């Protein structure tokens, strides 16, 4: 087991910079999730940690030892590749046992490990098949198996669940988390699924366009997004964002868009006339069919009951918003709906820089 | 659909025969006909004195089986093919592995590699004949000065080394062919499994043994098959360099067929020996395809 430290790491392909001076500290035994939209450089960063991509600038340290020039085979890592990278001419069993075969593990341990992994991954019936005889999801699980039979210093996962069905995905998520809690192996896990990130991570690192936008525990990121991008990327349905102007009414400030006045927290130090992004998560509205003190009125567009809660998509003036309520209220498209923002959970972002105020 | 005029209607993909006709007729004229003609010829007994031929179907074939020179030639052919093939395969794969790089200059090296292939085999034979020459040949003289060879036993003039002398010329000319095929295979290998293997802790040698070789097996088998068939038909180098000599030390089957044809003008028996070569190639190739499960 070892810690992974990344300092001022840069990557360029020719003239194209894909990673910009990244800094990241993964403590020994932590589960860190890299989260970001497609093409933001997650795989590139992971592959650099693995030693599969050369380093353009900066350092990668395992346990404070610089490993920039250490070959992948000597880094003692296990990795699940985004494209599986299975050995096409080997059976599932041989794929999983390959690393053990290389370091001359005895046959008994090898079989035990493979059987253990295949039962976790539900691959028992497929052990003697070739990769080409498997479905995408099964192949992905073989790739997973190949990693978990190892006893590495660091686990690297590149979207290991992306091809599984919803049920299997939840199940595997739990298995991975359970595995990590037992083995306590430092793990870097790439995903673009924010639910996966929230549920599994000790620490989430949100990336965009080759930059780290924010890192912290899932809750820190959820509660205090640094900027508009992180705010909208985390949470589902995502945070409502409205571009407003700050105005002074009856001694109190409010954020105004069209004719609608959104109340502002009293402690915010805003200037009248300032342009801001007013952000509030759907679950931080109090929803009611009756007008309340300071409530905002909108028109219901779509109602989506999910069971425990109901998602209401509505229009205020020409802006679409989403609100979530756990109350069972009768709403039909076209009805008027009254929202009261929970002032403790309003997020304000600068109109120009999009950074949190 | 409107009916097209008759000749055009025959030229659609629904009627394969017109399309197959050109290549089929070429095959029949240049492939099948000579074989059948040889077969027909092999059924005649030639009287060298009268120069008359008489229909005696089993005469030449019986002679073939009892002809010691044929069995010698079979053995020499196999030895030649086996040694030359092994050398070409090992060298070809090694050179291909070295040249399989995206670094600057390797493209040029790959192109240079093909040069021996464009030299006509007879010219290659001449070239090596000169290099083996015991008075001024560069190869012979180098070996003399290294003490590996003495001028009293010239390479091509000594029974034990003559076959090797011919094999070297063949290897020089045809290793590039192996390199080309192997390079095509190596360059087409996916990168991902190799990355996975290095993560799994494989050294580059282990990756070669456990990934490259199995992934290349089909291409290697195909290359061995193509080169092997070609080697069984070896004629030009032997003809130019040793003319089967000294004695019959380098007399391969086709060389023997040539001798029978050109020197004794026994056309029916020459055809029989040539057909025997064909049969040998067919049997060996089929066995190879069976044993190594070669798929096209
Ligand atoms: N070999 C390469 N040459 C040039 N550009 C590359 C190369 N590999 C990746 N890139 C670029 O680097 C950027 C980051 O790619 P990367 O694969 O790390 O994205 P990602 O975050 O893993 O995306 P996804 O979620 O789709 O897998 C992309 O813009 C991509 O186009
Ligand atoms: Mg990726």
């Amino acid at each position: 087991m070892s810690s992974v430290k990344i300092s001022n790491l840069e990557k360029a392909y020719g003239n194209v910079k894909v990673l910009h001076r990244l800094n990241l500290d993964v403590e020994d035994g932590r589960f860190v999730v890299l989260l970001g939209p497609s093409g933001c450089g997650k795989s590139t960063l992971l592959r650099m940690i693995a030693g599969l991509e050369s380093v353009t600038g900066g350092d990668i340290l395992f346990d404070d030892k610089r490993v920039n020039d250490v070959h992948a085979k000597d880094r003692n890592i296990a990795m699940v590749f985004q494209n599986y990278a299975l050995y096409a001419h080997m059976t599932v069993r041989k794929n999983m046992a390959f690393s053990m075969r290389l370091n001359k593990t005895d046959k008994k341990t090898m079989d035990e490990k493979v059987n253990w992994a295949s039962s976790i991954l539900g691959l028992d019936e497929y052990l003697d098949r070739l990769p080409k005889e498997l479905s995408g999801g099964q192949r992905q699980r073989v790739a997973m198996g190949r990693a978990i039979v190892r006893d590495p210093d660091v686990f690297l996962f590149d979207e290991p669940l992306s091809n599984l069905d919803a049920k299997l995905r939840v199940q595997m998520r739990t298995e991975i988390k359970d595995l990590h809690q037992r083995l306590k192996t430092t793990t870097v896990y790439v995903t673009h699924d924010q639910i996966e990130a929230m549920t599994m991570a000790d620490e989430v690192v949100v990336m965009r366009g080759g930059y780290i936008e924010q890192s912290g525990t899932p809750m820190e990121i959820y509660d205090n997004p640094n900027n508009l991008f992180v705010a909208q990327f985390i949470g589902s349905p995502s945070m409502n964002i409205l571009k407003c102007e700050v105005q002074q009414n009856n001694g109190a400030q409010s954020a105004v868009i069209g004719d609608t006045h959104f109340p502002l927290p009293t402690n915010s130090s805003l200037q009248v006339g300032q342009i801001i992004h007013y952000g509030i998560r759907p679950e931080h509205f109090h929803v009611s069919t009756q007008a309340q003190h300071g409530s905002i009125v909108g028109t219901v567009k779509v109602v989506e009951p999910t069971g425990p809660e109901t998602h209401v998509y509505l229009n205020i003036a020409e802006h679409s918003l989403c609100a979530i309520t756990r109350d069972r209220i009768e709403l039909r498209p076209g009805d008027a709906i009254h929202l009261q923002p929970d002032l403790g959970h309003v997020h304000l972002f600068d109109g120009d820089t999009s950074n949190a105020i | 659909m409107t009916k097209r005029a008759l000749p055009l209607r025959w030229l659609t993909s629904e009627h394969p025969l017109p399309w197959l006709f050109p290549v089929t007729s070429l095959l029949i004229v240049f492939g099948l006909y000579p074989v059948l003609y040889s077969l027909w010829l092999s059924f005649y007994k030639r009287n060298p004195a009268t120069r008359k031929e008489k229909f005696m179907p089993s005469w030449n074939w019986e002679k073939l089986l009892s002809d010691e020179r044929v069995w010698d030639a079979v053995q020499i052919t196999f030895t030649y093919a086996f040694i030359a093939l092994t050398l070409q395969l090992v060298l070809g794969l090694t050179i291909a592995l070295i040249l399989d790089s995206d670094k600057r200059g390797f493209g040029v090296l790959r192109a240079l590699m093909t040069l021996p292939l464009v030299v006509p085999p007879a010219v290659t034979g001449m070239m090596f004949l000169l290099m083996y020459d015991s008075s001024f040949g560069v190869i012979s003289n180098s070996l003399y000065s290294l003490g590996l060879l003495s001028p009293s036993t010239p390479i091509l003039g000594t029974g034990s080394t003559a076959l090797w002398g011919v094999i070297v010329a063949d290897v020089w000319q045809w290793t590039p062919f192996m390199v080309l095929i192997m390079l095509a295979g190596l360059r087409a290998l996916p990168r991902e499994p190799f990355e996975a293997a290095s993560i799994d802790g494989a050294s580059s040698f282990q990756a070669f043994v456990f990934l490259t070789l199995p992934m290349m097996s089909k291409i290697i088998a195909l290359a061995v098959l193509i080169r092997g068939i070609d080697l069984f038909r070896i004629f030009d180098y032997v003809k130019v360099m040793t003319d089967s000599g000294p004695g019959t030390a380098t007399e391969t089957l086709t060389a023997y067929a040539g001798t029978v044809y050109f020197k004794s003008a026994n056309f029916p028996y020459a055809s029989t020996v040539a057909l025997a070569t064909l049969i040998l190639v067919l049997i060996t190739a089929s066995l190879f395809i069976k044993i190594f499960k070669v798929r096209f």
Side-chain angles (χ1 to χ4, degrees):
Chain A
M1 259 166 270
S2 61
S3 64
V4 176
K5 195 177 159 124
I6 281 165
S7 80
N8 292 322
L9 193 70
E10 288 184 305
K11 178 70 187 177
Y13 292 107
N15 292 328
V16 188
K17 268 200 169 183
V18 294
L19 294 181
H20 310 264
R21 292 186 151 271
L22 301 187
N23 287 290
L24 180 64
D25 224 333
V26 184
E27 282 165 39
D28 189 6
R30 296 272 276 178
F31 195 112
V32 171
V33 171
L34 303 180
L35 177 68
S38 186
C40 69
K42 308 180 293 292
S43 296
T44 306
L45 175 55
L46 204 68
R47 291 169 53 83
M48 287 172 86
I49 298 175
L52 298 172
E53 299 281 349
S54 63
V55 174
T56 308
D59 289 317
I60 302 171
L61 304 119
F62 283 11
D63 274 340
D64 299 320
K65 279 191 292 290
R66 188 171 175 275
V67 294
N68 285 26
D69 306 313
V70 176
H71 192 276
K73 76 173 176 355
D74 302 318
R75 292 195 189 183
N76 197 22
I77 39 173
M79 177 164 176
V80 178
F81 287 77
Q82 189 167 10
N83 49 18
Y84 322 146
L86 299 180
Y87 310 124
H89 58 287
M90 296 186 201
T91 60
V92 169
R93 182 190 302 279
K94 287 194 172 150
N95 261 282
M96 292 208 243
F98 189 63
S99 59
M100 294 187 278
R101 184 166 154 208
L102 291 177
N103 64 26
K104 305 207 165 52
T105 312
D106 63 286
K107 181 92 175 63
K108 191 162 151 281
T109 325
M110 216 149 99
D111 284 345
E112 275 170 15
K113 283 238 177 178
V114 169
N115 291 338
W116 165 78
S118 78
S119 71
I120 286 186
L121 299 163
L123 286 171
D124 288 333
E125 320 150 45
Y126 308 109
L127 281 177
D128 294 312
R129 290 208 198 167
L130 290 174
K132 67 169 181 237
E133 298 160 344
L134 300 177
S135 76
Q138 290 162 344
R139 283 178 210 180
Q140 192 159 39
R141 280 178 277 157
V142 178
M144 191 82 179
R146 199 167 53 181
I148 63 174
V149 297
R150 306 258 320 266
D151 186 17
D153 288 337
V154 182
F155 270 123
L156 303 175
F157 296 105
D158 199 346
E159 306 195 19
L161 310 182
S162 59
N163 254 318
L164 306 185
D165 62 59
K167 180 164 165 273
L168 206 52
R169 188 179 301 200
V170 174
Q171 195 180 323
M172 286 296 141
R173 208 157 76 193
T174 325
E175 290 288 359
I176 296 177
K177 206 167 171 181
D178 178 55
L179 196 71
H180 178 253
Q181 276 158 4
R182 271 190 295 132
L183 303 178
K184 295 254 176 298
T185 307
T186 314
T187 304
V188 184
Y189 184 107
V190 165
T191 180
H192 53 229
D193 177 349
Q194 46 102 14
I195 305 271
E196 247 170 56
M198 295 296 286
T199 51
M200 301 175 85
D202 291 327
E203 185 179 343
V204 178
V205 177
V206 183
M207 292 178 66
R208 175 172 63 158
Y211 292 94
I212 291 179
E213 295 284 332
Q214 188 174 359
S215 62
T217 66
M219 278 326 198
E220 274 167 21
I221 296 214
Y222 184 81
D223 290 337
N224 298 305
N226 269 348
N227 57 44
L228 206 54
F229 172 78
V230 177
Q232 286 192 296
F233 200 75
I234 303 276
S236 168
S238 62
M239 186 188 282
N240 298 299
I241 301 287
L242 295 154
K243 199 165 191 178
C244 300
E245 190 186 336
V246 178
Q247 290 185 1
Q248 188 87 19
N249 284 72
N250 316 329
Q253 283 187 338
S254 59
V256 181
I257 181 164
D259 295 333
T260 315
H261 292 246
F262 286 90
L264 285 168
T266 44
N267 55 355
S268 51
S269 53
L270 298 169
Q271 279 133 38
V272 174
Q274 190 178 350
I275 302 296
I276 56 163
H277 295 284
Y278 185 92
I280 181 158
R281 296 196 183 277
E283 60 270 34
H284 295 141
F285 278 123
H286 182 255
V287 178
S288 130
T289 45
Q290 315 287 313
Q292 314 263 317
H293 172 71
S295 69
I296 305 148
V297 67
T299 318
V300 176
K301 251 185 352 191
V302 176
V303 182
E304 286 181 351
T306 64
E309 55 193 28
T310 305
H311 299 180
V312 186
Y313 293 90
L314 60 131
N315 272 358
I316 290 180
E318 66 275 26
H319 304 282
S320 331
L321 276 76
C322 177
I324 294 178
T325 176
R326 302 190 131 257
D327 301 334
R328 303 252 165 135
I329 33 178
E330 278 295 313
L331 286 170
R332 247 164 276 117
D335 286 358
I337 181 170
H338 299 269
L339 306 174
Q340 257 183 321
D342 177 351
L343 288 188
H345 288 105
V346 168
H347 302 271
L348 301 176
F349 303 96
D350 190 283
D352 297 324
T353 64
S354 299
N355 287 333
I357 300 173
Chain B
M1 212 173 84
T2 56
K3 283 250 176 205
R4 287 188 214 147
L6 198 62
L8 275 181
R9 226 186 317 140
W10 277 91
L11 289 177
T12 64
S13 53
E14 288 154 43
H15 301 280
L17 288 182
W19 301 100
L20 287 175
F21 174 74
V23 75
T24 315
S25 49
L26 278 177
L27 272 178
I28 289 173
V29 171
F30 295 107
L32 206 55
Y33 174 74
V35 173
L36 291 178
Y37 180 75
S38 313
L39 192 65
W40 177 76
L41 207 58
S42 76
F43 292 151
Y44 283 80
K45 181 194 173 210
R46 183 178 172 90
N47 185 333
T50 59
R51 300 190 188 168
K52 286 272 155 38
E53 276 148 17
K54 202 171 133 200
F55 188 70
M56 283 179 75
S58 62
W59 174 266
N60 287 309
W61 293 96
E62 276 165 17
K63 183 175 171 183
L64 180 87
L65 293 176
S66 59
D67 188 346
E68 297 239 336
R69 256 176 101 172
V70 167
W71 294 110
D72 273 352
V74 169
Q75 201 195 331
I76 290 169
T77 309
F78 268 106
T79 313
Y80 182 90
F82 181 77
I83 296 175
L85 192 57
T86 310
L87 287 175
Q88 288 172 19
L89 183 63
V90 172
L91 280 174
L93 193 54
T94 312
I95 297 174
L97 284 169
I98 295 169
L99 292 185
D100 178 22
S101 164
D102 289 320
K103 292 206 188 81
R104 270 177 73 104
F106 278 79
V108 179
L109 282 181
R110 284 196 288 268
L112 281 178
M113 196 61 221
T114 60
L115 275 184
L117 285 174
V118 298
V119 179
V123 175
T124 306
M126 298 293 229
M127 221 164 74
F128 275 86
L129 209 54
L130 294 177
M131 290 196 286
Y132 287 144
D133 190 282
S134 38
S135 49
F136 56 82
V138 56
I139 295 178
S140 291
N141 281 315
S142 313
L143 291 175
Y144 295 156
S145 53
L146 286 172
L148 294 171
L149 193 75
S150 98
S152 60
T153 54
I155 297 174
L156 295 177
T158 311
S160 56
T161 51
L163 197 64
W164 286 97
V166 184
I167 287 174
V168 167
D170 198 313
V171 168
W172 177 83
Q173 180 133 59
W174 290 104
T175 298
F177 175 81
M178 281 290 191
V179 175
L180 283 190
I181 295 196
M182 298 298 161
L183 264 177
L186 286 175
R187 306 239 93 200
L189 288 183
R191 211 184 55 200
E192 292 83 15
F194 289 90
E195 294 181 343
S198 65
I199 298 278
D200 272 345
S203 64
S204 33
F205 177 72
Q206 284 170 320
F208 174 74
V209 172
F210 293 121
L211 298 188
T212 312
L213 279 184
M215 285 159 103
M216 289 277 291
S217 61
K218 281 189 178 145
I219 284 174
I220 293 175
L222 206 61
V224 166
L225 192 67
I226 296 174
R227 270 316 290 148
I229 290 174
D230 227 24
L231 281 164
F232 268 100
R233 303 181 311 186
I234 159 72
F235 181 77
D236 9 31
Y237 304 113
V238 171
K239 186 73 196 159
V240 172
M241 293 172 72
T242 61
D243 200 10
S244 305
T248 55
T250 56
E251 188 170 72
T252 59
L253 264 177
T254 45
Y256 182 43
T259 307
V260 175
Y261 190 96
F262 292 113
K263 294 194 178 150
S264 13
N266 189 345
F267 312 127
Y269 189 50
S271 295
T272 315
V273 177
L275 281 175
T277 317
L278 178 66
I279 292 166
L280 200 67
V281 169
L282 283 179
I283 292 174
T284 318
S286 319
L287 277 179
F288 180 81
I289 289 173
K290 235 210 161 91
I291 293 170
F292 290 94
K293 299 190 178 68
V294 186
R295 296 267 173 286
F296 301 102

